[in-house]
Amino acid sequence: MDGALYLGVDGGGTGCRARLEDAAGTVLGQGIAGPAATRFGIEASWQAIETAARHAIAEAGLDAAQVGCIRAGVGVAGIGRKGARAALEAIRHPYASIAFTSDAMIACLGAHGGRDGGIVIVGTGTCAIGRIGGREMKFGGYGFPISDEGSGAYLGLRALQHSLRAHDGREGGSVLTRELMARFQDDPAEVVLWMDRSTATDYATFAPLVLRQADQGDAVARQVVQDGAEHVNGLVRALLAEGAPRVSLIGGLASAMEAWLAPDVRRRLSPTLGDAVTGALALAGRR
Amino acid sequence: MDGALYLGVDGGGTGCRARLEDAAGTVLGQGIAGPAATRFGIEASWQAIETAARHAIAEAGLDAAQVGCIRAGVGVAGIGRKGARAALEAIRHPYASIAFTSDAMIACLGAHGGRDGGIVIVGTGTCAIGRIGGREMKFGGYGFPISDEGSGAYLGLRALQHSLRAHDGREGGSVLTRELMARFQDDPAEVVLWMDRSTATDYATFAPLVLRQADQGDAVARQVVQDGAEHVNGLVRALLAEGAPRVSLIGGLASAMEAWLAPDVRRRLSPTLGDAVTGALALAGRR
């Protein structure tokens, strides 16, 4: 265990993962913890990062001197919030160094082996992130409903809008619209009640149904997914136009959505080389 | 002041208006009060109705015996909520009779002189309401963002979505998108902060700007308004397809939006004959 030690932490909105490696990439220890998103407060965010890191360090059996040699890289969800980055950088830590960036940026670094490139995240939300020639860039991802076109939340909202119109008889229905309304006992009043307490995550729960029906040829589902895919095309093209040497699609809906993208866009996508924790290790300085 | 007395109350979400008339339509007294929407509770709703009615009765100088002869008609915002109508009908009142319906239905009755017809409301939300051959019907109006296409809130959301994409360079901008982003210091983070605390009413504040820019030929604004107008066309056509002998457009954005409707739809619209209180008086039985 001589030489440099690297700690990578993926501090996401649903959980935090840490991995400790040596310069050769041998995994020495791993740890997990709860959400590290800054919207729960900087204190809670750092608690999650520290907990995941402590478990990884304990598994590796490091002493204090060795901990002092660790170079850490951490991606944090919501680091763009006002003052969040400065607050995190001001926290005392036991490592040789620590570098912070967004959880999306470490996913980008991981996807491209620490080198330049871009990613389009297609999950509950959508967002394009890139690092090209030292410049960092971001397109979309401002949140639902003002942004995140083509995301799971977006597909779910569009499908519900069509379902209500079809229920009224204002447009033609389909298997999708009938199946969606059946989840609300065919009662628009139930949809209204549901909406009053629903977030982007709730809307996104309908996305797998929409994508499945689209795959089976349902006319309404195809229309919703094709419109969403057009927005994802736009996000990929924005990165390519900036000169991204590689662009990867990631996120829970990436593989399902990829089939709907324009042929020229699909052809120019690259497979991911590593995960977000790998990206955090690259941020920490591991080559 | 012999003969029947009629009390009409428009219990809307922003305020409550009452008017007392005799059988000939002579106005005997008027009153106003705060919002009567059931979302503030049935008690508060009835309080507003009673306050407005009391002022109208006081202005007319009626004694208790005369009050006992009043036939009342009341339109209440949110009467469709579970149990609201039954709770209102169970309340003790001093009148000869009282009839309740929605605030939208009295607007419909008022627009068509108490006879059959339909209205399409275009304001913060959109909704179509009709009474045709004794049947009552409703299309849309399930709330923002799952419904209310073509409304002020809808125009505002669409304009913001385009503005953020134009700000990113993902699509072409216009005077509208630049003017909207300027309201947020050209900073998407400010839009995100705004969104976190915004309701349909807040989105609708951008609608006058969108309609003005559309009128001046702004390409993005025209696209947003034309798409919205297509949904309003759909609401009007839904009522016509049900056999509505007359359809009127009402609401704060009705006149601005009317210019964008399809020629065949515009041609088939009828002017309103009376206001919502007139509709409430018709509900009470005044001819």
Side-chain angles (χ1 to χ4, degrees), chain B residues 150 154-155 224-234 257 260-262:
Chain B
Y154 179 92
L155 299 183
V224 168
V225 174
Q226 265 162 352
D227 171 72
E230 198 45 61
H231 287 290
V232 177
N233 286 334
M257 190 58 98
W260 295 86
L261 300 185

Side-chain angles (χ1 to χ4, degrees), chain A residues 6-10 16-20 28-34 43-64 67 70 72 74 92-95 98:
Chain A
Y6 299 93
L7 177 69
V9 183
D10 175 18
C16 192
R17 294 182 307 139
R19 201 160 73 227
L20 190 74
L28 307 174
Q30 301 193 76
I32 57 168
E43 180 100 4
S45 179
W46 178 251
Q47 282 284 343
I49 293 162
E50 257 302 86
T51 302
R54 198 170 53 242
H55 288 151
I57 289 165
E59 190 176 313
L62 303 192
D63 60 32
V67 169
I70 289 173
V74 186
R92 274 170 48 113
H93 64 81
Y95 313 120
I98 192 163

Side-chain angles (χ1 to χ4, degrees), chain A residues 140 142 145 149 161 165 168 195, chain B residues 140 142 145 149 161 165 168:
Chain A
Y142 303 118
E149 297 94 337
Q161 291 171 335
R165 291 201 291 268
D168 280 0
M195 175 176 68
Chain B
Y142 303 119
E149 297 94 338
Q161 291 170 335
R165 291 200 291 269
D168 281 359

